[in-house]
Amino acid sequence: MSGGHGHDHDDEYTAPLGETQLRVKALESLLTEKGLVDPQALAALIDLYETRVGPRNGARVVARAWVDPAYRKRLLDNASAAIAEFGFTGRQGEDMVVLENTPRVHNMVVCTLCSCYPWPVLGLPPVWYKSPPYRSRAVLDPRGVLKEFGVALADDVEVRVWDSTAEVRYLVLPERPPGTEGLHEDELAALVTRDSMIGVGRPKAPERRPR
Amino acid sequence: MRVLAAADVGRMILKGGSARVPEPLPAKFAPGDRVLARNVNPVGHTRLPRYVRGRRGVVDRDHGVFVFPDTHAAGLGTKPQHVYSVRFAARELWGPDASPRDAIYVDLWDDYLDPDGDR
């Protein structure tokens, strides 16, 4: 597939491609030559997931839930419908459930069988989410994994790990950070990180405003 | 064979395709029921993770009726049935060294579960 990355080193332009890249290019050429794939459709797919579908979508959902109690209730009662209010629908988000973090309960999400992930609100999954170490350790040692992500939890906080083995996709509603009382919805959305919506991070702290 | 056109990409992605089946089939279990994940080892496709086979849990919620992947993947029909989020205590899965508070929630179809008659 076409990549648009800038490279720092000259030799990256001339070095032979890796085995996977070569295989993908060969497959793409074959499928195109046989008329099974329209290269413009591939470009449109890549553009969609690079520019329109990603964790900024989920951040808007979370920020709305923080400022609007009625929306928060709709989100927890029927996540698919509440998320669709933003137009965030489609592949790998057809059946959504939102899990609310509280001072007593911390939720985190994994797919031990493969890499199931809520695309419409988070985009495509990061490499570590698909890796065997995360997938096995998230269920076996969630507190250890969280610690490595920089999330320390007190012993009296209950950790709930959600293994998305079926068709439901999960989004974590993180706790609103302290010190954000005066912030607008858009400012709050900027604090919501991808990792906080997987449940392996916390939202960013607000920048202190100059007096 | 139909080829996806560039103009249809957005609509196709945003529409999606749920595996939910709009049939009011009866549920075998209700939230709060104690269940036992079957200890079976099918050769073909399954979404029953090995780490819960033979383990006891409690139904947390009923997600509704979905296509059953084990038969669907084998071309043996959709066999729609309820899917539940089942809560397994970390200690039930990993033994006494696990946290007494923590739990793992796994989405399981009716055919993966039996009533837990021992308790």
Side-chain angles (χ1 to χ4, degrees), chain A residues 89 94-95 143 161 163 165, chain B residues 14 17-18 20 51 102 105 107:
Chain A
T89 59
E94 294 92 346
D95 297 283
R143 285 173 192 266
V161 183
D163 189 353
T165 46
Chain B
L14 294 180
S18 176
R20 189 182 287 279
Y51 73 90
D102 300 350
Y105 291 71
D107 287 338

Side-chain angles (χ1 to χ4, degrees), chain B residues 12-37:
Chain B
M12 184 270 293
I13 295 289
L14 294 180
K15 187 165 175 263
S18 176
R20 189 182 287 279
V21 179
E23 284 179 36
L25 294 176
K28 278 198 210 164
F29 304 101
D33 284 359
R34 293 180 176 280
V35 290
L36 179 66

Side-chain angles (χ1 to χ4, degrees), chain B:
Chain B
M1 185 179 161
R2 282 167 59 220
V3 176
L4 178 65
D8 296 331
V9 163
R11 192 175 45 83
M12 184 270 293
I13 295 289
L14 294 180
K15 187 165 175 263
S18 176
R20 189 182 287 279
V21 179
E23 284 179 36
L25 294 176
K28 278 198 210 164
F29 304 101
D33 284 359
R34 293 180 176 280
V35 290
L36 179 66
R38 289 182 181 165
N39 183 12
V40 289
N41 290 276
V43 174
H45 179 78
T46 185
R47 304 278 192 87
L48 173 62
R50 287 182 194 280
Y51 73 90
V52 300
R53 295 178 193 175
R55 306 294 183 168
R56 296 183 154 82
V58 176
V59 174
D60 178 69
R61 64 180 86 184
D62 183 346
H63 289 307
V65 177
F66 288 84
V67 168
F68 186 52
D70 299 39
T71 51
H72 194 233
L76 299 173
T78 55
K79 205 182 178 188
Q81 51 192 276
H82 282 257
V83 175
Y84 314 88
S85 180
V86 178
R87 176 188 167 101
F88 295 90
R91 286 195 167 175
E92 168 72 8
L93 300 178
W94 315 120
D97 291 341
S99 160
R101 283 185 201 284
D102 300 350
I104 292 86
Y105 291 71
V106 183
D107 287 338
L108 299 172
W109 275 260
D110 261 330
D111 274 10
Y112 299 155
L113 298 170
D114 285 317
D116 179 7
D118 288 0
R119 298 181 197 182

Side-chain angles (χ1 to χ4, degrees), chain A residues 177-178 180 191 203-207:
Chain A
T180 58
L191 302 178
K204 289 185 265 186
E207 283 179 34

Side-chain angles (χ1 to χ4, degrees), chain A residues 123-145:
Chain A
L124 302 179
V127 171
W128 57 259
Y129 184 86
K130 300 183 277 187
S131 71
Y134 178 74
R135 286 159 46 199
S136 54
R137 292 187 55 220
V139 288
L140 180 57
D141 179 23
R143 285 173 192 266
V145 171

Side-chain angles (χ1 to χ4, degrees), chain A residues 8-168:
Chain A
D8 295 335
H9 306 293
D10 287 343
D11 58 350
E12 286 188 26
Y13 290 105
T14 50
L17 294 170
E19 194 183 329
T20 304
Q21 285 167 295
L22 284 172
R23 188 181 293 239
V24 169
K25 278 181 177 294
L27 275 172
E28 186 179 338
S29 300
L30 258 180
L31 290 167
T32 303
E33 280 168 28
K34 288 177 182 285
L36 297 172
V37 156
D38 174 0
Q40 289 188 326
L42 278 185
L45 274 168
I46 291 168
D47 180 68
L48 184 72
Y49 283 102
E50 280 187 345
T51 61
R52 284 176 56 197
V53 182
R56 297 336 301 160
N57 291 0
R60 289 179 60 196
V61 171
V62 168
R64 176 72 52 84
W66 283 346
V67 298
D68 181 346
Y71 182 76
R72 176 182 154 276
K73 185 173 186 312
R74 291 202 296 284
L75 187 64
L76 296 174
D77 288 348
N78 183 345
S80 312
I83 292 168
E85 292 177 30
F86 285 89
F88 305 148
T89 59
R91 290 287 164 104
Q92 294 296 315
E94 294 92 346
D95 297 283
M96 292 289 306
V97 166
V98 166
L99 310 161
E100 186 181 36
N101 281 353
T102 70
R104 314 293 301 174
V105 174
H106 182 92
N107 296 285
M108 66 186 278
V109 182
V110 64
C111 174
T112 60
L113 296 181
C114 48
S115 55
C116 298
Y117 194 70
W119 293 1
V121 281
L122 293 187
L124 302 179
V127 171
W128 57 259
Y129 184 86
K130 300 183 277 187
S131 71
Y134 178 74
R135 286 159 46 199
S136 54
R137 292 187 55 220
V139 288
L140 180 57
D141 179 23
R143 285 173 192 266
V145 171
L146 287 170
K147 209 168 168 184
E148 288 169 28
F149 273 97
V151 178
L153 294 175
D155 286 345
D156 63 350
V157 175
E158 177 185 328
V159 177
R160 296 181 181 169
V161 183
W162 299 76
D163 189 353
S164 41
T165 46
E167 314 301 346
V168 173

